[in-house]
């Protein structure tokens, strides 16, 4: 096993992660622990049988107590037109003011669902693992919605970017 690299600091890791382009989501919850939501890029598909994804949640964030005490959440995957919402839920607005920035619906768990989200995955939290500063939430998808294809919202290099739905520069095409 190689010894640890002294240059491998938390800031160096964060700087390296700015090179990783990610989709942007609003992760929301509601229930006995209250309503809460935050902007997230640390979301990943795990399995399609059963449909399962994971969300990494910072335990020092304002939303943590609600996600700790509730057993449902919704991952709302954002389109480019939702950039102001990403800003609001990423700390641009105080927690108590974030939900007033949009209209919300519900599916199965009661977590807020954003109409017009590229996709919304309404989930039951079926596992929790602590990793460093974060909690990894394993989430079974109980219901979903899909909007018409639209420009996606990405985060890379510490700023939001647009992923065009009609991409003339695509490197390869499927038949
Ligand atoms: C683009 C972006 C991606 C983020 N991704 C995550 C994430 O995956 N997990 C997380 O816990 N926080 C993430 N955050 C931070 C949360 O959105 C957090 O709510 C925000 O920093 C505000 O903190 P507060 O809710 O304590 O006010 C991200 C923030 C931004 C702007």
């Amino acid at each position: 096993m190689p010894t640890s690299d002294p240059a491998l600091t938390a800031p160096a890791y964060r700087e390296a992660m700015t090179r990783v382009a990610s989709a942007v989501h609003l992760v929301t919850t509601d229930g006995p622990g209250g309503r809460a939501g935050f902007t997230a890029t640390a979301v990943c598909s795990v399995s399609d049988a059963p449909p399962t994804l994971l969300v990494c949640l910072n335990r020092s964030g304002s939303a943590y107590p609600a996600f700790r005490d509730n057993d449902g959440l919704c991952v709302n995957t954002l389109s480019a037109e939702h950039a102001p919402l990403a800003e609001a839920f990423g700390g641009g607005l105080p927690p108590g003011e974030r939900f007033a920035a949009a209209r919300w619906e519900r599916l199965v768990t009661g977590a807020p669902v954003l109409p017009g989200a590229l996709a919304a995955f309404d989930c039951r939290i079926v596992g929790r693992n602590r990793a460093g500063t974060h909690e990894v939430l394993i989430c079974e998808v109980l219901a979903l919605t899909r909007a018409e294809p639209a420009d996606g919202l990405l985060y890379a290099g510490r700023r939001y970017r647009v992923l065009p739905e009609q991409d003339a520069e695509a490197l390869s095409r499927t038949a």
Side-chain angles (χ1 to χ4, degrees):
M1 189 70 132
T3 55
S4 61
D5 177 356
L8 182 46
T9 59
Y13 172 77
R14 286 199 302 273
E15 174 61 27
M17 287 302 295
T18 68
R19 304 326 202 252
V20 180
S22 304
V24 184
H25 318 266
L26 296 186
V27 183
T28 59
T29 188
D30 203 355
R35 186 174 67 167
F38 65 102
T39 297
T41 51
V43 172
C44 178
S45 176
V46 175
S47 167
D48 67 357
T52 305
L53 53 78
L54 66 76
V55 174
C56 300
L57 169 63
N58 192 327
R59 296 198 311 279
S60 66
S62 66
Y64 176 67
F67 283 87
R68 180 194 60 207
D69 295 342
N70 294 340
D71 55 15
L73 62 74
C74 186
V75 172
N76 298 275
T77 303
L78 299 183
S79 68
E81 71 176 25
H82 294 131
L85 277 179
E87 303 254 17
F89 279 75
L93 285 180
E97 296 176 23
R98 293 175 188 170
F99 284 94
R103 186 173 65 80
W104 303 91
E105 295 177 349
R106 284 162 200 281
L107 287 169
V108 175
T109 71
V113 176
L114 179 67
L118 284 181
F121 304 90
D122 192 30
C123 303
R124 176 174 56 215
I125 301 169
V126 296
R128 299 169 184 268
N129 291 287
R130 283 195 173 199
T133 53
H134 280 56
E135 188 163 286
V136 182
L137 307 176
I138 312 295
C139 306
E140 183 176 343
V141 182
L142 302 183
L144 57 76
T145 64
R146 282 172 295 169
E148 291 299 314
D151 293 351
L153 184 65
L154 296 181
Y155 194 73
R158 296 196 172 94
R159 63 185 179 87
Y160 294 100
R161 298 165 190 263
V162 176
L163 176 66
E165 154 62 9
Q166 301 289 339
D167 186 2
E169 302 298 324
L171 293 176
S172 64
R173 300 191 182 281
T174 53

